[in-house]
Every structure is written in structure tokens, then in C-alpha cells.
Amino acid sequence: MTTSRPLDDAPDIPACTPEELLIDAEADDEPLPQALPGSAVLLLVGLVMVALNLRPALSSLAPLLNLVRENTGLSASGAGLLTTLPVLCLGLFAPLAPILARRLGSERTILLILLTLASGIVLRSLFPLAGLFLGSLLAGASIGIIGVLLPGIVKRDFPHIAGLMTGVYTMALCLGAALAAGATVPLAELLDGAWQPALAFWALPAIIAALIWLPQARQGQHAHRQAYEVTGLWRDPLAWQVTLYMGLQSSLAYIVFGWLPSILIDRGLSAVEAGLVLSGSVMAQLISALGAPWLATRGRDQRPAVLLVMGLTLAGLLGMLYAPLSGIWGWAVVLGLGQGGTFSIALALIVLRSRDAHVAANLSGMAQGVGYTLAAMGPLLVGVVHDLTHGWSAVGIIFVVVSLAATAFGLGAGRNLLVAARSEHL
């Protein structure tokens, strides 16, 4: 068993700075030459458009889930599996990203996977049940691959403004999720209640993003300089604490994406209102997604920040479940502030606990691969509990248990230590 070391005990090894919040998936890539202003703007627009498409496939289904269940006869457990499948794919397919990038280049891989993402979204609307599950699998796998590669490109091509680009990247993710959550039900109502074309609509932004990204795929050829190997990571307790914090807080996030509108509809809101509440909560994440990492790096370690954001998250979840509907928008803001902070702090911890960029890249892969696989169990468990109890009250127990576990691992990961892994050139 390896032992994590305090930061003060490793002065000879440069740790990543707090500003490096975007993990480099291609740590040995040659950086781009200094881009002309026009090229930089086109790259920035392309990055934003790609990031905008990494959440709509997940958040567009939730407001329509009750309607989909009525039309297909899907049980709550089946709906839980449907919401779990794309999240599971985020973790299972994340390791495929560097393999594809080495063969095709990151830019070409992203272009190809944007097209598979659009195909998966359309497939969900073509066939009643088989299409829903196969399309969700394909969409989740696509998001998992792009989610690993895109931050590396951002950090590689904007190395001097990594902190700012972290904010832009996170804002694009949240904006895409919020738009899909709030607009899908009104779109279905415009189409006379047809949920299939309303879901398929979100393939259009992915196709537009692919067209905007096309110039990057044509000129993006980045060769690796040296191979390297990171040892000791999977045996390190601190690395597992970071990973489990990432996975457990993500589980709560995907429960919200998958089930919050259904919970609110059964409590008395209309489908449109429930979708707007989810959208508003995601929009509130923008504030803490930008502010929480800054707050987390002001003190000696990140434990107070973890306590704050996890406390807000649990309070918001319980408010959504039990508080009077008259105050639901306030609880939506509390939940958004909490969950925006939990995710951004999880990203920050990956970097702050790593002694160099290579360790950070591998810890990122571990946290995303294992963490998102663990996170997929949350939506499935909620569906099973709802089926067994024929209500939502017992789901509060899941919220409390997962939140407390995430807090415990977050407190461990928030200590002022470095993982005891090292990178070596081959």
C-alpha cells in the first residue's frame, strides 16, 4: 500500500497549480503554434459548441420521462435503467478516448464522435424501446469520449488562461443542460405532444457543432513527443478518495438529471414547470461552478469548501422532495449552488492532489472511469426504490446516505496531500 505525502514533504516535485483545472488528456502533445486571432476565435467557438452538446442528451429526457413511460409501458425500474445507461457509458467508454486520439488525433476523434452522438440522439426517437436504450447507450458513450478529450485540447491550446477557459467550459456544459431541460417539453407541446421529435431535435445542435468543428479536424495533427508511465496510482488511498468523491457527487447530479422532473410532476407541478425548475437549478450552478474552486484554494485545504457545497446539495435535494411547492424555486437555487460547487471542486481536487501533469491526466482517467461507473448506480437505485415503495419519500434515504458518503470521501480528498504516484518516461 502506498502512502500519500503532505505537500510540504515534496518540495522538489512541482505540483499542478490551482489554475490548471482542465486535465490534459494528451500531456505529451505538441502545443499549437501561436494562433492568429481569427483562428483562435474559431477554435473558441468550436470548443463552446462542442461543450454545449455534452449534456442535452442526458437532461432532455428527464422532463418527458413520465410521458415516455405512459406511451411505452416502461416501469420505474426500466426508466431507472434508461437514465442509468448513458451515465454508465460515461465511465465505461472513457478509456477509449486516448486510444482513438492516438490513432486519429483528438480533433478528428471529436468530429467523428459528434456524429455518433447525433446518431444516438436520433436513434432514441426511431423505435419505441429498443431505440431508446440503444440510442442512450450510443449517446452516453459519445459524451464519455468527448468529455475526456475536450478539456485536454482546451488546456493545450489556451495554456495561459486555463482558469478562465475552465469557467467557459463549465458554463457551456451547464447552459446546454439547462436549455435542454427547459425547452424539451414546450417543444413537444408545439408538436402536439409528440415526444420522439422533441428528443430528436437535440441532434441538430450536435450536427451544427460538427460543422463548426470541421476546420479543427482538418488541421489538428499533434504528435506525441515521449511516452510515459504513471505507477502507484491505483494502490493509493488518496487517489481512491478523490475517485469516490467524484463518483458519489456525480451520482446525485445524474439522479437530478434523470428523476427530478418526475418527482416534481408527481408532487403537483406540470411537466413544463418541472422542466423549468430543473433548468433553473442547472443555471444556478454557473455561480458556484466558477466561484467554488476559487474559494477552495483560499484556505489551507479544501475540506471547508467540500462541507459547504455538500451541505447545500443535501439541503436542496431534501427541499425538492419534502418542502412545500411554494418555495420550490428557492430550493432549486440552493441545489444548483451546491451541485455546481461539488462538480467544480471534484475537478479541482484531481489537479490539486497531483504532483505533475502526467499524474493529473491519469488520476482524471481513474476518477472519470471508475467514478462515472459508480455514479450510474444512483438513477437505477432511485427507480428500483420507487417501484418497490410506489412513491418518492424513501428516496430521501438515498439522498442522505450518498451525500454523507460523498462528504466523507471529499473530506479525505480535501486534505493538503499529494497522491503517492509518480510518472516516468519510457
Side-chain angles (χ1 to χ4, degrees), residues 167-362:
V168 173
Y169 175 73
T170 306
M171 288 176 64
L173 287 175
C174 293
L175 183 59
L179 287 173
T184 305
V185 172
L187 183 60
E189 292 184 347
L190 286 175
L191 299 170
D192 297 323
W195 58 267
Q196 293 96 333
L199 286 181
F201 170 82
W202 298 104
L204 181 59
I207 294 171
I208 294 173
L211 293 174
I212 295 175
W213 189 254
L214 186 58
Q216 309 305 324
R218 286 175 173 171
Q219 59 188 346
Q221 295 293 322
H222 303 288
H224 293 283
R225 294 195 298 267
Q226 289 181 306
Y228 68 93
E229 180 183 19
V230 171
T231 58
L233 187 65
W234 289 81
R235 299 189 304 273
D236 184 71
L238 181 58
W240 278 104
Q241 288 166 348
V242 172
T243 296
L244 292 172
Y245 173 68
M246 168 66 87
L248 289 166
Q249 66 82 27
S250 295
S251 181
L252 294 174
Y254 290 115
I255 289 173
V256 168
F257 276 139
W259 285 110
L260 181 60
S262 295
I263 292 172
L264 296 177
I265 290 170
D266 286 350
R267 292 196 63 199
L269 294 186
S270 69
V272 172
E273 290 171 328
L276 289 175
V277 169
L278 175 58
S279 178
S281 182
V282 175
M283 290 298 291
Q285 292 184 21
L286 294 174
I287 300 172
S288 55
L290 295 174
W294 177 86
L295 177 65
T297 55
R298 297 307 96 184
R300 176 171 174 78
D301 59 37
Q302 289 70 53
R303 286 177 289 184
V306 168
L307 280 174
L308 174 62
V309 297
M310 286 306 308
L312 289 172
T313 297
L314 180 57
L317 289 169
L318 296 180
M320 289 289 181
L321 201 55
Y322 303 120
L325 289 177
S326 58
I328 204 68
W329 280 99
W331 292 113
V333 172
V334 171
L335 177 61
L337 292 175
Q339 292 199 307
T342 58
F343 177 68
S344 58
I345 288 176
L347 290 179
L349 288 175
I350 291 172
V351 173
L352 293 168
R353 299 290 83 89
S354 301
R355 59 185 66 247
D356 59 43
H358 297 310
V359 173
N362 281 261

Side-chain angles (χ1 to χ4, degrees), residues 26 28-33 101-102 105-107 153 156-157 216 219-224:
E26 298 176 273
D28 283 319
D29 274 358
E30 294 283 0
L32 284 174
R102 282 194 293 269
S106 290
E107 289 82 0
I153 292 176
R156 183 196 66 204
D157 294 343
Q216 309 305 324
Q219 59 188 346
Q221 295 293 322
H222 303 288
H224 293 283

